[in-house]
Amino acid sequence: MKYVALLRGINVGGKNKVNMETLREICGDLGFENVKTYINSGNVVFDTRKSNNKTLAAKLAKAIEKEFSISISVMVRSMTEIKAIIEKNPFIGEFENDKDVHVIFLEEEMPDEKIKQLLSNNNENERYAVIGSEIFSHLRIGVLDSILGKDYIGKKLKVAATARNWRTVNKLASM
């Protein structure tokens, strides 16, 4: 079965450096097959026997910590889930640039009170929608000027998450 692993906060601003070749080797050592990485920000596509997303994420996070001495969050989705996420995007037809839309992958679904807190930030410049364990974001402002860029989800909502722009999500689905 094909899976996508999304690593949070690697190779950003010189911190949490993870070499993609070494990452592919680690995945191979874990028994993953047909391992491919996409760009340098921690996107890994691989095949393995059907498993639980959290189990795969924990296994990969532990191997990364052992190899690179960094503790990071890893979110895993099956390729079937990635393709379903693309189909569920509530902002389709409302944006011109793939960099204006992001999918924030969560470790688990957020409680209703946190969803309400997040959605209270919706305005004409940034909109959020929560579907399952993903948050869709449509920004008419730069990421750095948005709550997404200020890590509102991690710092205020205290939810483990990692974001990818729409182009990256679609590229991962085609790998």
Side-chain angles (χ1 to χ4, degrees):
M1 186 164 182
K2 191 173 288 293
Y3 289 91
V4 177
L6 305 144
L7 285 59
R8 175 178 164 77
I10 65 158
N11 300 333
V12 178
K15 295 182 180 180
N16 294 339
K17 290 188 177 191
V18 172
N19 176 282
M20 293 298 107
E21 184 177 337
T22 306
L23 179 59
R24 288 189 296 274
E25 289 171 6
I26 289 169
C27 289
D29 292 345
L30 292 172
F32 302 163
E33 298 177 341
N34 304 315
V35 179
K36 298 175 190 157
T37 54
Y38 175 66
I39 60 178
N40 209 32
S41 60
N43 306 292
V44 186
V45 177
F46 60 91
D47 293 321
T48 191
R49 282 181 278 139
K50 186 173 182 177
S51 184
N52 177 287
N53 290 355
K54 286 186 180 187
T55 301
L56 292 171
K59 193 184 290 191
L60 184 53
K62 184 177 178 181
I64 289 168
E65 186 168 14
K66 181 179 177 187
E67 176 69 29
F68 297 103
S69 299
I70 58 173
S71 179
I72 61 166
S73 295
V74 177
M75 313 315 166
V76 172
R77 301 293 189 271
S78 71
M79 188 59 76
T80 302
E81 290 170 313
I82 293 291
K83 291 177 180 179
I85 289 164
I86 290 170
E87 291 176 12
K88 293 177 188 173
N89 184 344
F91 302 120
I92 290 293
E94 299 180 30
F95 60 95
E96 296 176 20
N97 187 330
D98 286 349
K99 292 181 180 179
D100 295 343
V101 173
H102 295 80
V103 178
I104 301 96
F105 296 88
L106 308 173
E107 277 187 337
E108 56 192 25
E109 291 187 21
M110 287 194 307
D112 288 343
E113 65 272 6
K114 289 187 180 187
I115 293 172
K116 288 177 187 172
Q117 188 177 351
L118 172 67
L119 297 181
S120 73
N121 291 283
N122 281 357
N123 60 58
E124 66 277 356
N125 290 319
E126 55 184 309
R127 297 183 302 151
Y128 298 89
V130 180
I131 300 175
S133 54
E134 282 76 37
I135 301 169
F136 293 82
S137 168
H138 178 211
L139 303 177
R140 291 191 174 108
I141 56 176
V143 173
L144 295 178
D145 296 323
S146 71
I147 64 169
L148 179 60
K150 295 177 175 85
D151 194 21
Y152 179 88
I153 294 163
K155 290 179 181 172
K156 290 280 190 187
L157 298 180
K158 307 245 186 272
V159 174
T162 188
R164 299 296 186 272
N165 71 33
W166 193 239
R167 178 178 16 198
T168 297
V169 173
N170 279 282
K171 178 63 178 178
L172 292 170
S174 72
M175 291 179 69

